[in-house]
Amino acid sequence: MTVGAILLAAGSARRMGEDKLIADLGGKPLAEHALTAIHAAGLAGPIVAVAPGSSLLSRFEGRGRFVEVTDHALGMGHSLRAAIGQVPPEWTAALICLADMPFVRPKTLALLASRATVGAIIRPIHEGRPGNPLLWGRDHFAMLARLTGDRGGRDLLRQHPAELMECGDDGVLIDIDTPEALDLARRRAFP
């Protein structure tokens, strides 16, 4: 069974006001923390969805398979659709990871991957609160490939509820969407 990772890194960072994915967090770009966790967890891939001309292309060269999402400004659904279309046939499931979530632990990714089946949808929770990334089994790839807009897989989760998995990792709840969130992340990582 092969479980891979898709790293969504094509967002427009409207609330941040700048390219948050290359913002410094502990001496490296914010997005690099998520990519490093994916590699440390031993997942296949990753497939990295980026905006055309993204600086991540040169920064992460050789560390993933890149998909340039020309319609990324229309929302996360477009990025996910583009990436899922590049998934190799041997993948049983894919973890849909977000590049602005730097604190998800590799062991959490590995735990999600260990529960993969072709029909699975698994969502991590921490202290009863749902988080990211979600694991989607291959049976759901066709639905993901039809997504549009900025809601990602939320509408699909209403039709196909995820199995919830307590993970003991508060990193599944922390995304960096604003300058204030980035300041908090810097204090958390490097007090």
Side-chain angles (χ1 to χ4, degrees):
M1 181 173 330
T2 301
V3 179
I6 291 172
L7 183 61
L8 298 180
S12 59
R14 287 182 295 267
R15 289 179 281 174
M16 182 66 86
E18 62 181 279
D19 188 352
K20 66 181 176 182
L21 298 181
I22 61 169
D24 180 75
L25 181 62
K28 57 186 177 181
L30 172 67
E32 188 165 341
H33 294 272
L35 185 63
T36 299
I38 289 167
H39 285 289
L43 300 172
I47 296 170
V48 184
V50 297
S54 170
S55 64
L56 295 179
L57 289 165
S58 60
R59 290 175 187 265
F60 297 162
E61 188 174 342
R63 296 181 62 198
R65 180 176 174 191
F66 288 89
V67 176
E68 291 189 69
V69 184
T70 56
D71 58 357
H72 68 94
L74 298 175
M76 185 188 310
H78 295 263
S79 295
L80 185 50
R81 180 179 66 197
I84 207 79
Q86 299 298 313
V87 168
E90 67 270 12
W91 285 20
T92 303
L95 275 164
I96 310 301
C97 301
L98 305 177
D100 65 354
M101 295 189 72
F103 297 115
V104 178
R105 297 180 193 144
K107 74 176 192 174
T108 300
L109 300 176
L111 181 60
L112 284 161
S114 75
R115 300 189 53 194
T117 65
V118 293
I121 302 173
I122 304 172
R123 182 170 206 170
I125 59 172
H126 178 70
E127 296 180 352
R129 295 175 53 203
N132 282 296
L134 270 72
L135 179 132
W136 294 83
R138 177 166 280 287
D139 287 352
H140 305 286
F141 288 3
M143 290 185 306
L144 293 170
R146 291 191 295 271
L147 289 174
T148 59
D150 199 30
R151 297 186 50 80
R154 281 184 235 153
D155 292 336
L156 297 179
L157 288 173
R158 277 199 274 287
Q159 299 165 17
H160 307 278
E163 173 189 341
L164 300 178
M165 182 194 81
E166 177 58 55
C167 64
D169 179 358
D170 69 346
V172 302
L173 304 175
I174 302 169
D175 62 339
I176 311 301
D177 285 334
T178 64
E180 296 79 19
L182 181 58
D183 288 341
L184 285 171
R186 287 174 174 151
R187 286 196 296 274
R188 172 191 168 114
F190 310 99

